[in-house]
């Protein structure tokens, strides 16, 4: 009887640990290779031609919320071969072909952690993807989200927003690249 009550109590404690996370992936304009699908046509649209791969993503950071971990977010986008351009907070979502609105807050519990994030992606002014994360929306109990590195959580959100865009890792040192 004691073991059953202990197991039930532990189960309730663990189920209360969840955080809220919801992601609607960005649908690609075509259903080809994800690295090609987001490229801006030659000429680069209203802001000119950016980068050899032409994959421009403009980011508008909300200045009101403190917006911690912006550099982690931008780095995650760059690892996916986006040419990132940070725009002024009042910039229209129509200023670039693809725009991400970024809002994030941190909190502190032994260390700084990502408390909430809201990333909304627009293509040509239309909303095409959204990621929401909130570490405080749990049903009580033990919340372990403050032990997750903010860069890891943001990278997870970006991967879910833009699935399949992370290039494969380079081959280990000392091994030859596969022949073409």
């Amino acid at each position: 009887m004691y073991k059953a009550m202990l197991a039930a109590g532990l189960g309730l404690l663990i189920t209360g640990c969840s955080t809220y996370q919801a992601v609607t992936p960005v649908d690609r304009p075509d259903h080809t290779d994800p690295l090609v699908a987001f490229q801006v046509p030659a000429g680069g649209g209203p802001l000119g031609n950016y980068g050899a791969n032409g994959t421009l993503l403009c980011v508008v950071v909300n200045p009101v919320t403190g917006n911690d971990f912006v550099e982690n977010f931008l780095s995650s986008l760059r690892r996916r071969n986006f040419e990132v351009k940070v725009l002024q907070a009042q910039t229209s979502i129509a200023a670039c072909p693809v725009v991400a609105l970024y809002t994030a807050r941190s909190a502190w519990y032994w260390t700084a952690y990502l408390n909430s994030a809201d990333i909304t992606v627009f293509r040509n002014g239309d909303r095409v993807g959204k990621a929401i994360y909130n570490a405080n929306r749990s049903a009580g109990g033990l919340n372990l989200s403050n032990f997750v590195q903010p860069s890891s959580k943001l990278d997870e959100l970006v991967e879910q927003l833009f699935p399949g865009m992370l290039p494969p890792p380079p081959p280990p040192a000392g091994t030859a690249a596969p022949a073409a």
Side-chain angles (χ1 to χ4, degrees):
M1 177 74 168
Y2 175 74
K3 288 182 182 180
M5 287 179 36
L6 182 62
L10 184 58
L12 284 174
L13 183 67
I14 291 173
T15 59
C17 298
S18 66
T19 58
Y20 179 78
Q21 181 171 322
V23 179
T24 303
V26 174
D27 27 324
R28 299 190 291 262
D30 56 13
H31 297 284
T32 60
D33 178 9
L35 295 176
V36 175
F38 291 101
Q39 290 184 355
V40 176
L47 293 177
N49 193 7
Y50 283 85
N53 62 7
T55 309
L56 173 65
L57 178 67
C58 296
V59 175
V60 177
V61 177
N62 183 341
V64 176
T65 64
N67 274 306
D68 300 305
F69 314 116
V70 173
E71 284 305 315
N72 296 113
F73 176 62
L74 299 177
S75 293
S76 185
L77 293 171
R78 288 181 183 116
R79 279 194 302 281
R80 286 158 179 82
N81 292 321
F82 281 109
E83 181 73 29
V84 178
K85 179 170 179 65
V86 178
L87 302 177
Q88 296 293 323
Q90 296 76 21
T91 303
S92 165
I93 58 171
C96 282
V98 182
V99 175
L101 301 180
Y102 175 79
T103 301
R105 288 186 179 219
S106 67
W108 195 87
Y109 186 72
W110 289 327
T111 185
Y113 68 95
L114 183 65
N115 188 42
S116 65
D118 187 331
I119 305 164
T120 307
V121 181
F122 296 87
R123 182 186 305 113
N124 299 323
D126 296 327
R127 188 178 112 175
V128 293
K130 185 163 184 75
I132 298 173
Y133 172 78
N134 192 321
N136 288 337
R137 283 181 60 181
S138 65
L142 181 63
N143 188 345
L144 301 176
S145 62
N146 54 346
F147 295 111
V148 176
Q149 289 293 321
S151 59
S152 297
K153 179 50 73 176
L154 286 168
D155 202 49
E156 176 186 328
L157 293 172
V158 170
E159 178 58 33
Q160 290 176 7
L161 269 173
F162 300 102
M165 290 192 64
L166 194 59
T175 59

